[in-house]
């Protein structure tokens, strides 16, 4: 593809929606995706497999370079051609709202990869970002808001 020829990395973080009832368009683009993110329920819905490693393998066999299943408080599981592992999360003392935690994970992960960090370290960075997000209500924190 032109994206691969331009040496551009691609990632996709799916969201549970009615479109998942017929994921055929997803299967068509997965071979073009470098990093595929989903949470555990999305992985189960797409693969019909409850076990994260089995679900990741099933999705991986559809073509993406890396599959990352976000497991909330349990961290994440990643799978590549040559490696797979569970990466534990950090403990959260002040759980307030899980809104945006998966997006925060992806942002932390992608930032770490852009800094040149390897996959397990980037997963740990994603876990830390997700853990930070759940300590606030809503998808963003307005810590510097003036009244």
């Amino acid at each position: 593809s032109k994206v691969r020829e331009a040496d551009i990395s691609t990632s996709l973080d799916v969201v549970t929606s009615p479109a998942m009832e017929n994921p055929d368009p997803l299967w068509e683009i997965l071979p073009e995706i470098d990093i595929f993110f989903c949470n555990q329920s999305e992985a189960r819905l797409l693969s019909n497999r409850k076990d994260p490693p089995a679900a990741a393998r099933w999705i991986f066999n559809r073509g993406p370079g890396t599959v990352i299943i976000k497991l909330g408080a349990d961290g994440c599981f990643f799978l590549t051609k040559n490696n797979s592992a569970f990466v534990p999360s950090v403990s959260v003392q002040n759980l307030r709202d899980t809104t945006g935690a998966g997006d925060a994970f992806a942002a932390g992960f992608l930032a770490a990869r852009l800094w040149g960090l390897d996959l397990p370290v980037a997963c740990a960075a994603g876990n830390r970002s997700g853990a930070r997000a759940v300590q606030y209500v809503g998808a963003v924190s307005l810590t510097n808001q003036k009244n």
Side-chain angles (χ1 to χ4, degrees):
S1 78
K2 289 184 180 185
V3 172
R4 290 216 189 274
E5 290 170 14
D7 198 31
I8 296 172
S9 178
T10 58
S11 63
L12 174 66
D13 191 354
V14 295
V15 61
T16 301
S17 76
M20 282 193 166
E21 292 175 19
N22 178 16
D24 289 344
L26 177 62
W27 308 144
E28 293 175 23
I29 66 166
L30 275 185
E32 303 299 322
I33 302 298
D34 295 309
I35 302 166
F36 178 81
F37 298 100
C38 63
N39 64 33
Q40 190 167 12
S41 64
E42 293 158 348
R44 186 178 311 128
L45 188 61
L46 291 170
S47 70
N48 201 28
R49 284 146 179 83
K50 185 175 181 179
D51 179 57
R57 173 63 57 195
W58 191 90
I59 295 166
F60 181 82
N61 287 337
R62 298 272 185 182
T66 300
V67 174
I68 299 176
I69 300 178
K70 299 171 284 181
L71 304 171
D74 292 327
C76 68
F77 177 80
F78 74 84
L79 174 72
T80 67
K81 180 179 178 184
N82 299 316
N83 198 8
S84 67
F86 282 95
V87 179
S89 190
V90 296
S91 67
V92 171
Q93 302 301 320
N94 187 27
L95 175 64
R96 299 200 52 208
D97 184 2
T98 60
T99 303
D103 292 330
F105 173 94
F109 173 90
L110 292 170
R113 292 297 283 168
L114 288 171
W115 293 326
L117 301 175
D118 68 16
L119 193 61
V121 174
C123 284
N127 286 339
R128 285 190 305 276
S129 293
R132 198 171 307 118
V134 302
Q135 296 181 60
Y136 300 93
V137 174
V140 294
S141 170
L142 302 174
T143 56
N144 293 326
Q145 181 178 2
K146 294 182 180 179
N147 292 328

